């Protein structure tokens, strides 16, 4: 229940989230998916969270680890950080603090990016979550913002629908859905004329 609640909350913050309900499932997923951040409950069944953390560190995983535990004792925090976790949060916690810590760890795991992205008159500020075109502010939904950010990060290269689904949505999305096409239509409309997002048939989109 806690895992599902956290996942739902993070998705509302425009994050792509996968869920594993035990340590074995967590290790399986991390073996073929490079996550920016892993929110790791210390008391996982099958394979304990401590062991999951040890293996990830031993494998030199680039993922940042935020460990959750029922105990907030200093000794437990020191032990958790000693296992290789990047941050530690005791349950119960305030959700906005979890979001802030996940975002902070995500910034550490990602390559350094320019604070503001600019292309074709469009200016996107990830920190302020602000988009303007030719100086006029544009209000976007969280998914529209995430899609536009991926296109601008590509610096003119084509971004496939699969890549957009992977970055802006998560594994629960139907790969045959038209959600990318619909989001692209609304995004183009909001960005106005002349159109700056180009469709490359059979390949993807570029800005």
């Amino acid at each position: 229940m806690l895992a599902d609640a956290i996942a739902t909350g993070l998705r509302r913050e425009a994050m792509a989230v996968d869920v594993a309900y035990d340590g074995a499932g967590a290790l399986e997923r991390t073996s073929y998916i490079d996550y920016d951040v892993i929110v790791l409950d210390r008391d996982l069944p099958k394979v304990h969270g401590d062991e999951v953390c040890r293996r990830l560190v031993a494998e030199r995983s680039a993922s940042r680890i935020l460990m959750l535990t029922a105990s907030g004792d200093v000794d437990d925090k020191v032990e958790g950080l000693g296992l290789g976790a990047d941050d530690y949060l005791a349950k119960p916690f305030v959700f906005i603090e979890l979001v802030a810590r996940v975002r902070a760890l995500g910034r550490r795991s990602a390559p350094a990016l320019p604070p503001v992205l600019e292309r074709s008159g469009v200016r996107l500020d990830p920190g302020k979550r602000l988009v303007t075109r030719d100086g006029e502010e544009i209000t976007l939904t969280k998914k529209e913002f995430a899609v536009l950010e991926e296109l601008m990060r590509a610096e003119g290269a084509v971004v496939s629908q699969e890549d957009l689904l992977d970055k802006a949505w998560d594994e629960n999305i139907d790969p045959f859905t038209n959600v990318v096409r619909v989001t692209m239509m609304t995004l183009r409309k909001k960005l106005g004329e002349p159109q700056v997002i180009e469709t490359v048939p059979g390949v993807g989109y570029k800005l």
Side-chain angles (χ1 to χ4, degrees):
M1 290 175 64
L2 177 60
D4 288 338
I6 291 174
T8 298
L10 293 178
R11 286 173 184 142
R12 287 174 179 164
E13 295 295 323
M15 299 183 195
V17 183
D18 296 339
V19 180
Y21 297 103
D22 56 61
L27 289 171
E28 179 185 3
R29 289 177 183 276
T30 55
S31 68
Y32 61 87
I33 301 176
D34 294 324
Y35 293 104
D36 293 327
V37 179
I38 297 171
V39 180
L40 179 63
D41 196 309
R42 196 169 184 181
D43 299 316
L44 286 176
K46 294 189 178 179
V47 179
H48 196 272
D50 287 1
E51 180 61 22
V52 173
C53 187
R54 285 192 195 96
R55 293 193 197 179
L56 290 172
V57 171
E59 293 167 1
R60 299 184 180 276
S61 170
S63 303
R64 300 292 181 173
I65 301 172
L66 171 58
M67 186 172 279
L68 301 182
T69 180
S71 174
D73 292 343
V74 172
D75 288 344
D76 286 326
K77 289 183 180 181
V78 171
E79 184 178 357
L81 294 172
L83 292 169
D86 297 280
D87 200 358
Y88 197 96
L89 188 60
K91 299 179 286 187
F93 49 82
V94 179
F95 188 73
I96 56 173
E97 181 181 2
L98 174 69
V99 171
R101 288 174 183 260
V102 169
R103 289 199 189 283
L105 290 175
R107 287 193 294 271
R108 288 188 221 166
S109 68
L113 293 170
V116 176
L117 304 172
E118 294 189 63
R119 190 171 182 83
S120 302
V122 179
R123 189 173 189 271
L124 183 146
D125 187 330
K128 296 180 180 178
R129 302 197 67 79
L130 177 67
V131 174
T132 61
R133 182 172 186 185
D134 298 328
E136 294 188 15
E137 186 173 342
I138 299 170
T139 301
L140 301 180
T141 66
K142 290 177 180 178
K143 292 302 181 187
E144 290 166 350
F145 188 96
V147 167
L148 179 61
E149 185 174 2
E150 290 305 318
L151 292 175
M152 295 188 72
R153 284 185 181 184
E155 298 183 330
V158 177
V159 182
S160 69
Q161 173 171 301
E162 291 74 19
D163 285 340
L164 289 173
L165 285 172
D166 181 54
K167 295 290 186 180
W169 283 270
D170 54 51
E171 64 171 9
N172 292 316
I173 195 72
D174 181 352
F176 300 104
T177 183
N178 68 346
V179 66
V180 172
R181 184 172 61 83
V182 172
T183 301
M184 206 63 69
M185 288 172 59
T186 60
L187 181 56
R188 281 173 167 150
K189 184 176 180 180
K190 289 182 178 181
L191 290 175
E193 298 292 343
Q195 291 290 320
V196 292
I197 298 176
E198 177 184 346
T199 299
V200 182
V203 183
Y205 305 89
K206 66 178 183 177
L207 189 149

